[in-house]
Amino acid sequence: MQVSFIMKYLILFMAWWNASPIIPVATGSTPDHRAWQQLLQEFVNDKGDVAYARFKIRENELTQYLDYLADHAPAATWTRNETLAYYINLYNAATIALILEHYPTESIRDIWRPWGQNRVRIGDKTISLGDI
C-alpha cells in the first residue's frame, strides 16, 4: 500500500527531526521519540513507503509508543517545536496503527471514517485523527 504525499512528507520530516538523540525525561517534560524513530527506520523506506506487512509483526511496539505518548501529553512548558513534534509523531503513529488494524487494505479511505473515529488518547481524552 502506498502512503499519501503528506504522510510521506511527515514521516520523512520526523525521521530528520528525530535524528539527534533525545534524552529520556521526567513526566511533564517532552517525551522520548526514539522508539518511534527506530520503527520508522526499520519499516519506512527513503521514498516514504511503509512496509505494512512487516510492521504488523511489531504492532505491539507501536501500541506501546502510542500509550507512552498518551501518558506524556503536551505541557505548557514545551516549546512550539516540541509540541509540533509531539502532534506530528502522534498523528503518524496513530495513522499507521489504524492501517495496521485493518491490514490488508488498499487505502486508508477504505476504512470507515478514518479521520472521524475517536481513537487517539491524549491524557484522559480520546480524540480523532481529524482533531489532531
Side-chain angles (χ1 to χ4, degrees), residues 20-73:
S20 61
I22 299 174
I23 300 169
V25 291
T27 303
S29 299
T30 58
D32 181 350
H33 297 287
R34 287 182 290 189
W36 176 237
Q37 177 63 30
Q38 290 171 351
L39 290 170
L40 289 177
Q41 287 176 346
E42 188 166 343
F43 300 113
V44 181
N45 68 20
D46 292 339
K47 296 178 184 177
D49 299 324
V50 179
Y52 288 104
R54 289 187 14 238
F55 209 135
K56 182 83 174 155
I57 297 167
R58 305 246 313 267
E59 189 172 6
N60 64 325
E61 292 176 49
L62 178 59
T63 301
Q64 290 172 359
Y65 175 69
L66 286 167
D67 289 343
Y68 171 79
L69 288 182
D71 294 336
H72 293 83

